Amino acid sequence: MERETVIVLDFGGQYNQLIARRVRECNVYCEVHPYNLSLEQIREMNPRGIIFTGGPNSVYGEGAVLCEKGIFELGIPVLGICYGSQLMAHLLGGRVTSAPVSEYGKTEVEVDQNAALFAGVAGKTICWMSHTDYIEKTPADFTVTAHTPVCPVAAMECPGRKLYAVQFHPEVMHTVEGMTMLRNFVLDICGCRGDWKMDAFVETTIQAIRAKVGTGRVLCALSGGVDSSVAGLLLARAVWKQLTCFLVSI
C-alpha cells in the first residue's frame, strides 16, 4: 500500500518541525521541505496535502520568500498558516498590508462552524496569534471563515480549489482546538486514512538503508546533534556488521 504523505513547506517559521509533528500525531507521514521546492519535485512526491508555515517576512516586502504560484493549480489541498495564509492571499490577488493593530498571544476567534476546517470546533475558540501584517482583502473566490475584532480575515477558504488559510497557529498548544483543525485538514480535506505509525517509518528506513548499502562498507560521522544521532542509530540497526567506525565531533 502506498504511503500517504503531507509535506510542510518552510518559509522560515519557528514552528516548522512542530507542524510536521502534529501531522504525524494524526497518524499521517509528514516531511519538511524548503519553500522553493519545485512543482516537478512536488508532483513526483505526490503528497495528499501541503502546509505552508509561518515566517518572519512581509509577503509584499523586498526579499520576501515566495513559492511558485502554480502550486495552487496542482489540485492538492493547501493549508496556509500565518505567513503562509498571507502568501496565499498575496499570490492569488488579495491584499496584505500592515495591520492597524498587531495581535500576539491567546486570542478569541469567532469561526464559521460550517467551514470544513472548523467542523467540531466551538463557535468562539482560543487561538494563538502572532502577526503584524494581515489580510486586508481576500482573493476574489475566497470566503472568510473566521475573524477577530481587529483581524477581519483570521481564516479563509476556497473549497472548490482545496485552498485553506488561517492567520493563527493551530499547531501550538495555546490554540485550544488546533489539533481538531489539523485533523480536519489532514483526514477530511486531504482524505488521508490516518493509519501510518512511527515504527513503520523506522522499519522501512532500515530496509531502504540495507538495499542501498548492500554488501558495502559504511562510514558514519556523528555531530552529536539529534538528526545525526537518529541517522546513526538507524544505520547501526540496518548494517551494524558492516560499520567501519563512528566518528564523533563535539
Side-chain angles (χ1 to χ4, degrees), residues 48 77 116-117 162 164 183-192:
R48 297 300 298 266
L117 202 62
K162 304 178 183 179
Y164 302 82
R183 286 192 191 97
N184 287 341
F185 178 72
V186 171
L187 301 181
D188 297 335
I189 295 171
C190 297
C192 293

Side-chain angles (χ1 to χ4, degrees), residues 7 33-34 36-47:
I7 62 173
H33 292 275
N36 56 358
L37 193 69
S38 72
L39 296 182
E40 184 56 37
Q41 288 173 303
I42 293 174
R43 289 191 188 96
E44 290 177 359
M45 296 176 68
N46 191 31

